[in-house]
Every structure is written in structure tokens, then in C-alpha cells.
Amino acid sequence: MTKRWITFLGAGLLIAASGVGLYDETQVTTHVVMAQQEAQEGQELFASLCQTCHGPGGDGAGGAPVLNDGVTVTKYANTSALAQFIQSRMPATNPGILSPSQARNLAWYIIKLNHRLPGNP
């Protein structure tokens, strides 16, 4: 009885949320597209600022930590936390020179390197 009630309640909350705009497929699609665009911009920035130390594709070939191992992104609670780290600590030779949008783009690119970008396998 309790399990059925919880299932019913959960379904009701989902329906209610979708009815009042808390879940909007358009917003989700927009987020995915923006993340992919920012990752693309991050890739270009990575090639010019980060690749020397982190290697092509973040493989660590330049002696700095590997960024594409699936572990790096799990150290941060979310994209914003990773971007904040990047903005305040990178590049190691001149930390703090990146704008918030550059740091966010790099964060999305690192997430993409780890196959965790929304809308990508």
C-alpha cells in the first residue's frame, strides 16, 4: 500500500511540475545546445592556452594532470565549480587571466573530453 502511494505521489508531482513549467523540454534543449557551443569555444581556447601543459585532448602529454580520464570532472560538484577553479588557478603560468565565460567554456570542454557533455555519448 505504501509503495503504491509513493509511486502515485511521485507521478502526481511530475505531472504537476510539468504543468506549471518546472520541467520544460525547450529549456533542457536550450541548455544542451548552449553547453555544446561553449564546449566548442572551450576546445579552441584549450588548443591555444592549455594544450602545451595538458597535452592534446587533455591526455597529460605535456606533464600537467590528465583531464580526460573520467575522474577529473568528478572532483567538482558542478560545471560552475570547475569553471571557478579554472578561472582562479589556470593557466598555471599566469593564473586569473581568464574571464568567467572563458573559464566556463573550458569547463564544458573538459566535461566533453570526459564524455559527460549533455547530448553527447
Side-chain angles (χ1 to χ4, degrees):
M1 175 79 168
T2 303
K3 187 175 182 180
R4 220 166 67 189
W5 172 252
I6 291 172
T7 302
F8 175 74
L9 181 62
L13 288 173
L14 182 58
I15 291 168
S18 64
V20 296
L22 294 177
Y23 173 78
D24 183 355
E25 190 173 322
T26 304
Q27 289 176 334
V28 172
T29 302
T30 301
H31 175 72
V32 169
V33 170
M34 287 178 60
Q36 291 172 344
Q37 289 172 343
E38 290 181 354
Q40 179 60 43
E41 292 173 21
Q43 182 174 1
E44 294 166 10
L45 195 56
F46 187 91
S48 65
L49 292 176
C50 313
Q51 185 168 294
T52 301
C53 296
H54 289 283
D59 61 11
V66 174
L67 300 176
N68 64 0
D69 58 1
V71 176
T72 299
V73 293
T74 63
K75 295 177 182 178
Y76 301 92
N78 52 42
T79 307
S80 295
L82 177 56
Q84 286 175 339
F85 173 83
I86 293 168
Q87 187 180 9
S88 65
R89 307 271 307 264
M90 295 290 126
T93 56
N94 196 5
I97 64 165
L98 299 170
S99 71
S101 64
Q102 289 174 315
R104 186 179 57 248
N105 293 346
L106 285 166
W108 278 118
Y109 177 61
I110 293 167
I111 290 167
K112 180 180 179 180
L113 289 176
N114 287 272
H115 307 284
R116 295 172 189 249
L117 187 67
N120 281 356

